[in-house]
Amino acid sequence: MPSSAEYLSPSGAAKKLGVSVKALRVYEQRGLLTPIRTEVGWRAYGPDEMRRAAEIASLRSLGFCLTQIARVLNDDVDGLKEALAAHQATLEKHLQHLTVTVGRVRRLRDDLATGHMPTAGELTDLLAQSSDPVLTIDLPGPRGRRTVRTT
């Protein structure tokens, strides 16, 4: 193994990637990631492993399940098409929600311009509608229908 400065421990890799150490173990168990093993059997993540782990973490942040990620990483075009279609549907629902919320804000501003002060209830309703929506979408894979928080 080259210089140990090039390699990260599981906790160092997890911190750098913004995932948990447990997530890295799951990626390994699912065959998505193979860390280097030191002479005493400890996991270590070098540049290649970190690149692969970053790809996995990025795809997870898009809402892809591990089965979809395996397909994408194995150049499965159909798997990627399904995953992208599911992600597009999530984004379109989020866009629809934002469009409705912007319309509400616009109406409140128009009302203010004509001297109508919004009620506390209208503002509270706007705040409730402005929070990040939780969408339930169908993602292909072993977990089936699942709830995904969009941001």
Side-chain angles (χ1 to χ4, degrees):
M1 186 165 77
S3 165
S4 63
E6 297 175 29
Y7 290 81
L8 296 172
S9 67
S11 61
K15 183 176 181 180
K16 187 168 185 160
L17 293 163
V19 301
S20 68
V21 173
K22 182 178 179 181
L24 291 175
R25 279 195 308 269
V26 170
Y27 302 161
E28 181 180 1
Q29 290 166 353
R30 295 290 298 269
L32 300 173
L33 182 63
T34 306
I36 302 289
R37 294 290 180 155
T38 66
E39 291 175 6
V40 294
W42 294 81
R43 290 175 179 88
Y45 298 85
D48 292 339
E49 294 77 26
M50 288 299 292
R51 243 184 318 281
R52 176 79 168 203
E55 289 174 351
I56 296 166
S58 294
L59 292 168
R60 287 289 298 141
S61 71
L62 288 173
F64 292 10
C65 70
L66 294 180
T67 300
Q68 291 170 319
I69 291 171
R71 290 176 183 160
V72 170
L73 294 176
N74 290 323
D75 296 325
D76 177 351
V77 173
D78 291 332
L80 181 57
K81 285 179 183 177
E82 289 175 6
L84 288 174
H87 187 60
Q88 179 181 347
T90 300
L91 291 173
E92 287 173 350
K93 287 179 183 180
H94 188 62
L95 179 60
Q96 180 182 16
H97 174 79
L98 288 173
T99 301
V100 168
T101 303
V102 167
R104 288 183 177 143
V105 171
R106 186 175 292 119
R107 282 189 295 281
L108 289 173
R109 292 184 68 215
D110 289 346
D111 289 348
L112 274 173
T114 61
H116 177 263
M117 185 69 152
T119 66
E122 289 172 313
L123 294 174
T124 302
D125 183 52
L126 177 64
L127 180 61
Q129 296 298 318
S130 296
S131 64
D132 289 338
V134 175
L135 302 175
T136 301
I137 60 173
D138 289 317
L139 290 177
R143 297 195 317 190
R145 190 168 180 85
R146 57 181 242 200
T147 301
V148 177
R149 178 171 290 281
T150 61
T151 53

